[in-house]
Amino acid sequence: MVFKSASLPSPRDSSAGAQRLHDLVSRTEHAQWRDARRIAKDQLGNVRSLLKHAVEHSSFYSEKFKGIGTESLCWEEFQQLPILSRQELKSAKAEIDCESVPGSHGALTNTMTSGSTGSPVEVRATDRVNLQWRCNALRDHLWHQRDASLTMAGIRWRAKNEAMAPKGWDLPNWGDPHSRFYETGKAYFLNSSSSTDAQLAWLLERDPHYLVSHPSNLRALLLLMEEQSKRLKNLVQVRTVGEQVTDELRQLVSRLAGVPLVDAYTSQEIGYMALQCPLHNHYHTLSDSVVFEIVNSEGKPCEVGELGRVVITSLHNFATPLIRYDVGDMAIRGGACDCGRGLPVVEKLAGRVRNMLQLPDGSTRWPNFGFRKIMEVVPLQQFQLVQKDLETIEFHAVVKQKPNTQQESAIRNILIEHLGHPFTIEFCYPSSIPRSANGKFEDFVSLPSCR
Ligand SMILES: [Zn+2]
């Protein structure tokens, strides 16, 4: 089945920038229907240009890729290039940066930072990188047929305690890039560091049509709504960014909010990497923006259905080239999609390596911990599992009333059954669970000693 999405209206202003953005969206939206082989061929041309520039203008890559014929490079050769680790990006950042950028890429515009592991990485961007970011934001909008005349609320992490409850920000429109093409409804923004109670009060007052937030924050909000028997009457779609979306969260949104959840895979140092398919819960990688590889423990491309590490090449960043960059996430490769797009499929985004369960036999897996069953034993306001070592898991829970021994025993059995190994379970009941360095909640964390 081919399901064509809506096309972008003409820009509302006559600036060259708006027209350029419009043309890029039209071009990439058109190109997605090509077959996978043609898409890969076009992409290889972009890879060669990036590598050529990096070798000529970055001392790091000229050394690392010495002797590589960038202009005749094939995919097999590309897949054997060394992988860039986050640690390497941090320590060799000055050498990775190119000393010049093509004039057509515009100015070095901003510094994007990511603090998801508590240690920020600085990556430079250009006008060209930002153009691609805005293009993908609009494509997400088109794929999921949002009505821009409606209201949009965002509850997301923001530094410096800006936009805190009870007020947040009330904005006249959705902002760039949407307001350049649509007369949009109002937008509201709240810092996700605000307490969940305050977030819910703020949301109920505004009752938006669209809500975008981080998965863990969304879950806390939904559970509070359920506890207080509250409902957002206008809501038509929930959007998520920044963390792994589990099947359980999708079910929770459907059950408690009665609307679909639409996810996007982005990172601050790269931008959009994949969008959720309009017809399925899986994702399409954005071949115009990134080369999205999923590699197994031997460094080879994963087969369909296989879990591996996500390795990204950012095709338009000629200022700080990220070539075969290990973003620290795991994903499962998918097969072809019946929506008609030739873009590669990611069956599941399985989250960060630090959020994976490590089993004593050396295998790694995304933990399923029977959250719903645990909630039937005792209502949790918040929880987190911390794997201390290969045999011990701490169950941290914020609860109104501490579970009794019988309830603890039931929770222990559920966890052991779902985790697939007879771990020693230790119970802790803190008054709150701290967020990670970038303000996110993590359901499951394995400490470095396990990995
Ligand atoms: Zn699809």
Side-chain angles (χ1 to χ4, degrees):
M1 181 180 11
V2 174
F3 173 82
K4 303 265 181 190
S5 42
S7 57
L8 190 65
S10 300
R12 298 173 71 220
D13 69 79
S14 56
S15 68
Q19 192 56 50
R20 197 173 169 215
L21 179 54
H22 186 275
D23 292 348
L24 184 62
V25 171
S26 304
R27 206 162 59 236
T28 50
E29 278 292 274
H30 179 73
Q32 70 187 350
W33 305 107
R34 292 174 180 160
D35 67 56
R37 199 182 298 177
R38 172 74 195 278
I39 287 174
K41 186 169 173 256
D42 291 349
Q43 200 183 34
L44 188 59
N46 288 335
V47 168
R48 288 174 180 161
S49 304
L50 172 70
L51 258 64
K52 183 170 184 294
H53 175 81
V55 167
E56 286 171 5
H57 298 282
S58 153
S59 58
F60 176 84
Y61 287 112
S62 79
E63 179 62 32
K64 199 165 187 171
F65 296 163
K66 200 183 272 178
I68 290 171
T70 54
E71 294 187 36
S72 58
L73 189 89
C74 66
W75 279 121
E76 288 69 29
E77 290 167 320
F78 175 77
Q79 285 160 356
Q80 283 164 21
L81 293 177
I83 287 174
L84 177 70
S85 70
R86 188 182 183 83
Q87 194 49 45
E88 208 172 4
L89 172 61
K90 272 182 72 181
S91 61
K93 170 70 177 42
E95 293 78 42
I96 291 172
D97 282 347
C98 292
E99 88 273 1
S100 75
V101 172
S104 60
H105 285 235
L108 290 171
T109 51
N110 60 359
T111 304
M112 297 190 279
T113 62
S114 174
S116 56
T117 56
S119 52
V121 177
E122 290 191 359
V123 172
R124 296 184 306 166
T126 59
D127 288 344
R128 181 67 189 82
V129 173
N130 290 321
L131 183 73
Q132 199 72 25
W133 183 88
R134 296 203 298 275
C135 166
N136 290 327
L138 288 166
R139 294 180 70 193
D140 181 37
H141 176 80
L142 293 171
W143 283 23
H144 296 286
Q145 302 198 321
R146 295 185 191 115
D147 180 347
S149 69
L150 302 180
T151 56
M152 169 82 74
I155 304 183
R156 296 172 67 168
W157 178 76
R158 198 172 174 98
K160 297 178 191 159
N161 280 347
E162 289 173 330
M164 294 294 289
K167 286 184 116 180
W169 288 337
D170 288 336
L171 305 162
N173 56 52
W174 291 15
D176 190 11
H178 300 86
S179 56
R180 302 186 86 166
F181 300 92
Y182 301 95
E183 195 170 339
T184 78
K186 288 184 178 171
Y188 313 108
F189 184 86
L190 189 68
N191 192 321
S192 59
S193 304
S194 306
S195 73
T196 312
D197 282 297
Q199 288 183 31
L200 182 56
W202 180 87
L203 262 181
L204 289 167
E205 206 169 298
R206 284 154 185 83
D207 203 2
H209 298 96
Y210 297 102
L211 168 64
V212 54
S213 194
H214 308 300
S216 58
N217 190 69
L218 180 65
R219 171 164 34 207
L221 258 173
L222 288 165
L223 293 176
L224 187 63
M225 280 168 66
E226 183 179 39
E227 189 188 311
Q228 298 187 1
S229 304
K230 296 277 169 47
R231 206 171 169 98
L232 293 167
K233 296 181 193 73
N234 286 335
L235 205 62
V236 292
Q237 190 184 90
V238 167
R239 293 171 52 204
T240 47
V241 284
E243 294 167 4
Q244 192 227 358
V245 170
T246 60
D247 293 341
E248 280 176 332
L249 182 65
R250 287 188 186 276
Q251 286 157 13
L252 203 63
V253 169
S254 170
R255 185 167 64 85
L256 298 180
V259 298
L261 183 156
V262 175
D263 189 35
Y265 183 44
T266 66
S267 86
Q268 288 188 290
E269 63 263 50
I270 293 161
Y272 284 84
M273 294 174 279
L275 297 178
Q276 186 178 316
C277 174
L279 300 189
H280 302 280
N281 288 342
H282 62 219
Y283 302 78
H284 285 287
T285 70
L286 296 168
S287 298
D288 292 280
S289 304
V290 295
V291 180
F292 195 120
E293 296 175 82
I294 305 175
V295 300
N296 63 24
S297 53
E298 292 163 16
K300 298 212 167 72
C302 284
E303 302 292 334
V304 171
E306 193 182 357
L307 176 75
R309 296 178 80 102
V310 175
V311 172
I312 297 287
T313 298
S314 181
L315 289 171
H316 299 288
N317 192 340
F318 280 45
T320 305
L322 297 175
I323 300 171
R324 304 203 78 219
Y325 174 55
D326 184 340
V327 294
D329 286 334
M330 307 287 285
I332 298 172
R333 197 183 144 197
C337 180
D338 61 5
C339 76
R341 288 174 178 79
L343 302 172
V345 172
V346 174
E347 192 52 46
K348 208 172 184 92
L349 290 163
R352 300 199 73 79
V353 176
R354 67 187 245 108
N355 302 132
M356 304 294 287
L357 175 70
Q358 311 296 320
L359 289 164
D361 66 4
S363 64
T364 298
R365 92 155 74 124
W366 173 253
N368 166 16
F369 24 74
F371 172 71
R372 276 180 73 171
K373 283 191 184 164
I374 293 173
M375 288 291 281
E376 284 166 16
V377 176
V378 57
L380 310 173
Q381 290 175 297
Q382 227 189 315
F383 79 98
Q384 184 180 53
L385 297 184
V386 178
Q387 183 173 17
K388 278 167 63 180
D389 55 49
L390 290 175
E391 294 291 350
T392 316
I393 298 217
E394 280 181 353
F395 177 77
H396 297 223
V398 179
V399 285
K400 285 226 167 101
Q401 200 172 359
K402 204 179 143 191
N404 58 34
T405 318
Q406 247 178 343
Q407 288 170 317
E408 281 191 347
S409 172
I411 294 170
R412 179 179 286 114
N413 290 340
I414 294 167
L415 286 173
I416 288 173
E417 183 197 332
H418 283 80
L419 294 172
H421 178 76
F423 289 106
T424 302
I425 310 285
E426 296 175 354
F427 292 88
C428 319
Y429 301 104
S431 57
S432 67
I433 291 174
R435 298 168 195 232
S436 63
N438 61 351
K440 296 171 186 170
F441 292 116
E442 291 174 293
D443 294 343
F444 185 94
V445 179
S446 66
L447 297 181
S449 53
C450 308
R451 303 196 289 274

